[in-house]
């Protein structure tokens, strides 16, 4: 029965996208069908086939190894503050970023990462029939991050119309960054974290293809390239590496500030709401309980018993209002004891940047990259950005949930 509900949920999530589509008659259903089949194959391969499970396990072990190696720098800098038996959030999840981000930037500097992104993007475009830049952008986000990719795509964005720029903004709600996966894997099951990443990419294309269908001519379907410097020369390596390390440090401070602020603000809201009584089975009114009610039908459509669906709904709502780190920190001590299906859908859902804070980041990024008309159009459709991010997370969780029981 629960599998049937999970299948129904997947159909309903696609139906919600169709319901809110800007141009229902222009949807490329052939492309949508191909991408749905592709994600079914990916989800099955990564969760159920021996080769897929072995590959995901190897990748998870690889990230865990990188995190363990990065701990040497943390131990050197923090000394007695670093308690291996009782690691805090900063030491376990954030300090590894100081090594992982520069590592990915070095791969970019030597040209390996751009080469990988280029050919994966071309392959995805060929399979799905989606425009080259949209496919390229989806893959690029996975490795580099949403605002980072937007920053280096200014030339391309200024050449595109406002409808395509809206598609890019919607897709920007759905990514995660490869350099931060090590932090995720320290808190939640690595096999589902790494399974969610490629499935999110395809679902970002599915959601935008339905919500904002656009025809791109062959003349428009190009990818602009940008030289590293005006004279075509690369920045000196150690200057580049220094900037990368400083960027990683800023990222850690941003995450710490956001987590501390959002957790504190959520606690403040809960304290205020608690003054209004205990309407939920004797439990005080809280942000989690309100969002739990809103998200509960969607959580139930994942194929869960009612009690598990209620818990999932609260975590889903909290993730959207705060961020994925808040939810991961909340469940990290208990998630390994969850039933397998519950564990899979929760982990997959939270593996994205889809939250209210990301909306501000994307709007801010576009303000400095495109003209006022395009920026105003994106701001007017901010609901579509949030809807796209939520639908991608729901679709990914539903796809993975089909094969994790």
């Amino acid at each position: 029965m629960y599998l049937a509900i999970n299948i129904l949920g997947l159909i309903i999530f696609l139906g919600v996208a169709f319901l809110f589509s800007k141009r229902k008659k222009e949807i490329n259903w052939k492309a949508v069908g191909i991408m749905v089949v592709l994600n079914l194959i990916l989800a099955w391969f990564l969760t159920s086939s021996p080769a897929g499970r072995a590959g995901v396990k190897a990748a998870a072990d690889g990230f865990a190894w990188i995190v363990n190696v990065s701990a040497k720098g943390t131990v050197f800098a923090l000394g007695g503050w670093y308690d291996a038996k009782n690691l805090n959030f900063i030491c376990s999840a954030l300090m590894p970023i100081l090594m992982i981000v520069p590592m990915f930037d070095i791969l970019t500097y030597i040209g390996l990462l751009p080469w990988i992104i280029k050919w994966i993007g071309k392959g995805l475009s060929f399979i799905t029939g989606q425009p080259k830049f949209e496919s390229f952008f989806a893959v690029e986000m996975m490795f580099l991050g949403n605002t980072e990719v937007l920053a280096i795509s200014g030339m391309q964005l200024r050449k595109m119309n406002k409808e395509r720029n809206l598609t890019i903004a919607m897709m920007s709600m759905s990514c995660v960054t490869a350099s931060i996966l090590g932090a995720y894997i320290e808190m939640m099951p690595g096999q589902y974290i790494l399974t969610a990443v490629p499935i999110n990419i395809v679902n970002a294309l599915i959601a935008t293809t339905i919500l904002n269908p656009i025809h791109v001519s062959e003349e428009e379907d190009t990818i602009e390239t940008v030289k590293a410097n005006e004279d075509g020369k690369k920045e000196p390596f150690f200057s580049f590496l220094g900037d990368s390390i400083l960027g990683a440090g800023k990222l850690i401070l941003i995450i710490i500030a956001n987590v501390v602020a959002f957790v504190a603000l959520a606690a403040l809201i809960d304290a205020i709401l608690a003054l209004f009584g205990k309407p939920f089975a004797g439990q005080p009114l809280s942000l989690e309980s309100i969002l739990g009610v809103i998200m509960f039908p969607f959580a139930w459509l994942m194929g869960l018993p009612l009690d598990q669906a209620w818990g999932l709904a609260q975590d889903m709502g909290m993730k959207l209002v705060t961020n994925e780190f808040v939810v991961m920190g909340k469940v990290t001590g208990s998630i390994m004891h969850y039933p397998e299906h519950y564990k899979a859908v929760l982990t997959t859902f939270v593996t994205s940047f889809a939250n209210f804070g990301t909306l501000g980041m994307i709007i801010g990024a576009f303000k400095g990259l495109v003209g006022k008309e395009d920026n105003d159009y994106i701001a007017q459709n901010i609901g579509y950005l949030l809807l796209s991010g939520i639908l991608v997370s729901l679709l990914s969780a539903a796809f993975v949930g089909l094969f994790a029981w």
Side-chain angles (χ1 to χ4, degrees):
M1 181 185 76
Y2 291 125
L3 175 59
I5 293 173
N6 196 153
I7 295 171
L8 175 64
L10 185 58
I11 296 171
I12 289 177
F13 300 151
L14 292 170
V16 170
F18 174 74
L19 180 65
F20 288 94
S21 175
K22 284 180 167 290
R23 291 170 288 275
K24 294 181 174 63
K25 294 182 179 179
E26 297 180 26
I27 297 173
N28 185 344
W29 287 112
K30 178 182 178 181
V32 172
I34 290 171
M35 289 186 284
V36 167
V37 172
L38 176 60
N39 256 353
L40 286 171
I41 294 171
L42 276 174
W44 169 82
F45 178 73
L46 295 174
T47 60
S48 301
S49 75
R53 288 198 304 268
V56 170
K57 184 180 185 302
D61 290 344
F63 272 102
W65 176 79
I66 291 171
V67 169
N68 289 335
V69 171
S70 72
K72 294 183 181 297
T74 307
V75 171
F76 177 81
L78 301 183
W81 293 359
Y82 186 91
D83 183 357
K85 294 183 179 179
N86 188 26
L87 288 179
N88 58 40
F89 172 69
I90 294 175
C91 287
S92 65
L94 299 186
M95 294 304 286
I97 291 173
L98 284 171
M99 189 189 84
I100 296 173
V101 169
M103 181 186 73
F104 274 89
D105 283 345
I106 290 170
L107 294 176
T108 299
Y109 185 88
I110 64 177
L112 178 60
L113 192 58
W115 183 84
I116 294 172
I117 292 170
K118 172 185 175 182
W119 288 105
I120 295 177
K122 282 188 174 181
L124 188 61
S125 176
F126 176 78
I127 293 171
T128 63
Q130 295 304 290
K132 292 185 180 69
F133 179 72
E134 280 78 345
S135 301
F136 181 83
F137 185 85
V139 176
E140 205 169 22
M141 281 194 305
M142 176 180 70
F143 289 99
L144 304 178
N146 48 9
T147 53
E148 292 84 353
V149 177
L150 287 173
I152 64 176
S153 301
M155 182 183 296
Q156 178 81 37
L157 298 176
R158 286 187 287 271
K159 287 183 175 292
M160 300 195 309
N161 59 37
K162 62 184 181 181
E163 288 80 12
R164 285 188 75 187
N165 274 322
L166 176 60
T167 290
I168 296 302
M170 291 163 65
M171 291 174 66
S172 299
M173 292 291 295
S174 308
C175 78
V176 295
T177 307
S179 59
I180 212 168
L181 292 179
Y184 290 171
I185 289 171
E186 287 295 290
M187 293 185 284
M188 300 191 83
Q191 70 270 32
Y192 295 123
I193 296 279
L194 294 171
T195 298
V197 172
I199 291 176
N200 279 347
I201 292 175
V202 181
N203 280 330
L205 292 169
I206 291 175
T208 52
T209 298
I210 299 176
L211 288 169
N212 189 38
I214 297 171
H215 173 71
V216 179
S217 66
E218 290 187 13
E219 294 77 16
E220 297 173 306
D221 193 13
T222 58
I223 297 177
E224 299 292 326
T225 58
V226 182
K227 296 290 185 182
N229 293 315
E230 291 183 0
D231 58 4
K233 294 181 180 179
K234 284 186 176 181
E235 181 182 2
F237 175 75
F238 285 103
S239 173
F240 172 86
L241 182 60
D243 289 342
S244 175
I245 293 170
L246 287 176
K250 291 177 183 177
L251 176 61
I252 289 175
L253 292 176
I254 290 169
I255 293 172
I256 292 173
N258 275 276
V259 170
V260 170
F262 275 121
V263 171
L265 287 171
L268 175 61
I269 294 171
D270 285 348
I272 294 172
L273 291 173
L275 300 175
F276 293 89
K278 301 180 178 181
F280 294 101
Q283 296 298 316
L285 191 64
S286 67
L287 187 62
E288 283 189 12
S289 61
I290 293 173
L291 293 170
V293 171
I294 296 172
M295 298 302 297
F296 176 72
F298 303 102
W300 180 76
L301 286 169
M302 296 292 179
L304 291 168
L306 292 179
D307 59 332
Q308 294 177 16
W310 178 255
L312 174 63
Q314 292 181 319
D315 289 336
M316 290 164 67
M318 184 60 70
K319 186 260 183 186
L320 296 173
V321 172
T322 57
N323 58 53
E324 70 280 8
F325 276 108
V326 175
V327 178
M328 288 181 178
K330 173 188 170 186
V331 304
T332 187
S334 57
I335 190 168
M336 298 310 294
H337 303 292
Y338 288 9
E340 196 64 26
H341 184 69
Y342 188 8
K343 186 192 307 181
V345 295
L346 173 58
T347 303
T348 305
F349 182 88
V350 301
T351 305
S352 81
F353 290 163
N355 57 61
F356 291 110
T358 301
L359 286 174
M361 292 170 60
I362 294 171
I363 294 296
F366 268 94
K367 277 185 177 293
L369 295 172
V370 299
K372 186 176 186 303
E373 181 183 357
D374 286 21
N375 189 70
D376 288 347
Y377 183 73
I378 292 169
Q380 291 166 5
N381 287 276
I382 196 167
Y384 274 86
L385 271 68
L386 186 60
L387 177 60
S388 176
I390 294 172
L391 282 175
V392 170
S393 294
L394 289 172
L395 286 168
S396 294
F399 274 115
V400 174
L402 289 174
F403 304 99
W405 296 92

